[in-house]
Amino acid sequence: MSAEHPSLTPAYRPLYQQIREALTRRLASGDWSPGVILPSETALAQEYGVSQGTIRKALDAMAADHLVVRHQGRGTEVARHNDERSLFQFFHIYGEDGQRRLPTSRVLRCSRAKANRDEAAALNVHKGTMVVRIYRVRDLNERPAMTELVTVPAELFPDLELLGKEVPNAIYELYQRRYAISVQRAVEQLYAVAANSKDATLLNVQPGTPLLEIRRTAVDLENRSVEYRVSRCLTRHQHYLNELV
Amino acid sequence: MSAEHPSLTPAYRPLYQQIREALTRRLASGDWSPGVILPSETALAQEYGVSQGTIRKALDAMAADHLVVRHQGRGTEVARHNDERSLFQFFHIYGEDGQRRLPTSRVLRCSRAKANRDEAAALNVHKGTMVVRIYRVRDLNERPAMTELVTVPAELFPDLELLGKEVPNAIYELYQRRYAISVQRAVEQLYAVAANSKDATLLNVQPGTPLLEIRRTAVDLENRSVEYRVSRCLTRHQHYLNELV
DNA sequence: GAGTGGTCTAGACCACAAT
DNA sequence: TTGTGGTCTAGACCACTCC
């Protein structure tokens, strides 16, 4: 029954996995755009020639991965990058009160450059490949909280550097809206480092002050490394929180 | 149908949630011990008067929370605290090579004391309540990697202090085996701090060296805060890794 | 009221482990 | 061979959204 649909792969895996992969490919290909409501479970079941329960299992797995959002009574929506998702999935800095808010941003520089060794390794490109670098300071509760250097491959983000200081605070929403690149997951490596003189000036602390350095590599729907960012964060009025479940 | 079983709560929630809570209570009460194989899905379905699918949904949710481990062909096992689980669920320090290994431990002190303000707040007890403190240095690849102060309520862990320097490396396995306390989840707060003189001596670095401070509060099956630990970690040869999915 | 996903059931067959 | 969990199906009813 599954062989009828062209995009199902031949190798044996559970049906719902194959459906899941087929649907994910259609998301990545732009067949359905962020915010769109997918066909209903019954419609998809018909299309793929499987039962509704199998479609359901595929969609539930995709919802767990934040690829889609399910709404009872309304339908299944292709996930969008809004403030809420940025906060819950990607922003782990909490204030002293245990609350978190998205930081505001002041862009200091946005320009093309050649990838250095770290950037090249993280983005999976050759050293010297053209990238765009965005350097900004981020404030929390009107206090400078972190410096941040965002690096993306220039090829994937044409003309991004022309935005200059107009690069928006919600940058993943920009990636998705302007470049059709949906960040799906990321890995963060955390280090304790000493503030250099630039950090110190921007954050208004003494050089040598311990900072939490966060090196994030973000991956899109097609499993491409699309962003590398290094944040250096004061932990006097905030901290990084991780739940081990 | 659901009212027949005594431990199902009356308030309305989906059946599988009620089953889930009932089963979790039986785990917490010691009705089934770690390592034991639960009754089969069909047996549980009969006992609770629901269908096998409902039991399955409850067990799958519990497996996702690491309360049980499912083995096709063998049965559903009550989760145990072994090295593997310690590593995958609770230990987030990776080496330069991207690998992780459980660190070894050298216990420096293990004694009773009165809870200070931080400990009391984290453990949800009054300041001055008796606790046991375990102070140790942990090595990775034969190099000192972190200092660690573990604090637990003395009431929950009687005579723990008598172990002295014999406190084992795999401490959650000890909690479970000797005190029937199963750590289920934890929250970690991360800070960048400067090494004090004691840290510096133990870790063989200069005072003031930036260290990654990890403050963990661990919670057991009954949602009691059973452990507070503060680790101060060098990030020269290792880092903290977090996957954002 | 029509249509969606959420829950619940019942039954079939498969993959795997233990014996 | 027996029993377990894993997959897949089919159908019922409920809760919710939207028109």
Side-chain angles (χ1 to χ4, degrees):
Chain A
M1 332 214 169
S2 62
E4 294 168 11
H5 199 276
S7 53
L8 290 182
T9 60
Y12 178 72
R13 264 151 304 137
L15 253 186
Y16 73 91
Q17 287 287 5
Q18 300 178 43
I19 301 285
R20 194 195 122 96
E21 286 157 25
L23 294 175
T24 302
R25 277 196 298 276
R26 289 178 72 174
L27 291 190
S29 75
D31 204 343
W32 294 307
S33 301
V36 160
I37 298 288
L38 294 189
S40 70
E41 294 181 351
T42 49
L44 288 171
Q46 276 224 324
E47 181 181 347
Y48 284 95
V50 300
S51 83
Q52 189 193 356
T54 301
I55 295 291
R56 173 183 297 275
K57 204 164 176 185
L59 288 177
D60 283 346
M62 293 170 73
D65 283 353
H66 304 105
L67 294 177
V68 297
V69 182
R70 313 262 265 149
H71 302 281
Q72 181 172 146
R74 196 146 73 82
T76 301
E77 177 192 355
V78 182
R80 278 177 304 128
H81 267 290
N82 50 25
D83 284 0
E84 196 190 344
R85 183 174 178 194
S86 296
L87 212 52
F88 280 89
Q89 191 178 358
F90 294 106
F91 193 70
H92 284 245
I93 304 290
Y94 285 67
E96 293 166 295
D97 52 0
Q99 299 299 307
R100 61 180 158 178
R101 293 174 37 200
L102 271 183
T104 57
S105 301
R106 288 175 284 139
V107 176
L108 304 178
R109 209 182 62 228
C110 174
S111 56
R112 286 170 70 99
K114 294 186 175 176
N116 64 27
R117 199 168 51 90
D118 286 353
E119 292 167 332
L123 294 174
N124 212 11
V125 298
H126 291 298
K127 192 181 163 197
T129 304
M130 292 308 293
V131 295
V132 178
R133 291 203 190 110
I134 301 166
Y135 189 54
R136 57 185 182 174
V137 179
R138 310 197 79 181
D139 298 335
L140 274 168
N141 300 317
E142 280 80 49
R143 265 195 301 259
M146 61 178 94
T147 65
E148 190 167 89
L149 178 60
V150 177
T151 306
V152 298
E155 190 187 359
L156 291 178
F157 298 88
D159 294 337
L160 173 58
E161 70 278 10
L162 301 183
L163 283 180
K165 303 198 175 177
E166 303 308 313
V167 168
N169 189 30
I171 199 164
Y172 286 178
E173 198 269 337
L174 174 77
Y175 294 171
Q176 189 171 70
R177 188 170 36 79
R178 181 163 162 180
Y179 299 102
I181 289 178
S182 291
V183 171
Q184 197 224 329
R185 56 190 173 81
V187 173
E188 295 192 329
Q189 299 178 311
L190 281 70
Y191 299 83
V193 301
N196 60 31
S197 61
K198 208 193 297 182
D199 296 326
T201 307
L202 293 169
L203 298 176
N204 200 22
V205 294
Q206 294 297 316
T209 300
L211 299 178
L212 182 64
E213 180 175 287
I214 307 170
R215 300 186 194 162
R216 176 194 295 179
T217 304
V219 169
D220 79 348
L221 275 179
E222 302 175 54
N223 283 314
R224 298 177 297 190
S225 297
V226 294
E227 182 201 69
Y228 177 59
R229 74 165 70 179
V230 179
S231 310
R232 289 212 187 88
C233 184
L234 278 174
T235 58
R236 183 173 172 76
H237 297 291
Q238 55 265 340
H239 57 267
Y240 186 100
L241 189 137
N242 191 20
E243 302 201 42
L244 315 181
V245 265
Chain B
M1 337 214 168
S2 62
E4 293 168 12
H5 199 276
S7 53
L8 289 180
T9 60
Y12 178 72
R13 264 152 305 138
L15 253 186
Y16 72 90
Q17 287 287 4
Q18 300 177 43
I19 301 286
R20 195 195 121 96
E21 288 158 23
L23 294 176
T24 303
R25 277 195 299 276
R26 290 178 72 174
L27 290 190
S29 74
D31 204 345
W32 294 307
S33 300
V36 160
I37 299 289
L38 295 189
S40 72
E41 294 181 351
T42 47
L44 288 171
Q46 276 224 324
E47 180 181 348
Y48 285 94
V50 299
S51 84
Q52 189 193 356
T54 301
I55 294 290
R56 171 182 298 275
K57 203 162 177 187
L59 288 176
D60 282 346
M62 292 170 71
D65 283 353
H66 304 103
L67 294 177
V68 298
V69 183
R70 313 263 264 149
H71 303 280
Q72 182 172 145
R74 197 147 72 82
T76 300
E77 178 192 357
V78 181
R80 278 177 304 126
H81 268 289
N82 49 25
D83 284 0
E84 196 189 342
R85 183 173 178 195
S86 295
L87 213 53
F88 280 89
Q89 189 178 358
F90 294 106
F91 194 70
H92 284 245
I93 304 290
Y94 285 67
E96 293 165 296
D97 52 1
Q99 299 299 307
R100 61 180 158 177
R101 294 174 37 200
L102 271 183
T104 56
S105 303
R106 289 175 282 140
V107 176
L108 304 178
R109 210 182 60 227
C110 175
S111 56
R112 288 169 69 97
K114 294 186 175 176
N116 65 26
R117 200 168 51 87
D118 286 353
E119 292 167 333
L123 294 174
N124 212 12
V125 298
H126 291 297
K127 192 182 162 197
T129 302
M130 291 310 292
V131 295
V132 177
R133 291 204 190 108
I134 300 166
Y135 189 53
R136 57 185 182 175
V137 179
R138 311 196 77 180
D139 298 336
L140 275 166
N141 301 316
E142 281 82 50
R143 265 194 301 259
M146 60 177 97
T147 65
E148 190 166 270
L149 178 60
V150 177
T151 306
V152 298
E155 189 187 0
L156 290 177
F157 297 88
D159 295 337
L160 174 57
E161 73 276 8
L162 300 182
L163 282 181
K165 303 198 175 175
E166 302 308 314
V167 168
N169 190 30
I171 199 165
Y172 286 178
E173 198 266 339
L174 174 76
Y175 294 171
Q176 189 170 72
R177 187 170 36 78
R178 182 162 162 180
Y179 299 102
I181 288 178
S182 290
V183 171
Q184 197 224 328
R185 56 191 174 82
V187 173
E188 294 192 329
Q189 299 177 313
L190 280 71
Y191 300 81
V193 301
N196 60 30
S197 60
K198 208 193 297 180
D199 296 325
T201 306
L202 293 170
L203 298 175
N204 200 22
V205 295
Q206 294 298 314
T209 300
L211 299 179
L212 181 65
E213 180 175 285
I214 307 170
R215 300 185 194 164
R216 177 194 294 178
T217 304
V219 168
D220 79 347
L221 275 180
E222 303 175 53
N223 282 314
R224 298 178 296 188
S225 297
V226 294
E227 182 201 70
Y228 177 59
R229 74 164 70 179
V230 179
S231 310
R232 289 214 188 87
C233 185
L234 278 173
T235 59
R236 183 172 173 77
H237 297 291
Q238 54 265 342
H239 58 266
Y240 187 101
L241 189 138
N242 190 21
E243 302 201 43
L244 314 182
V245 258

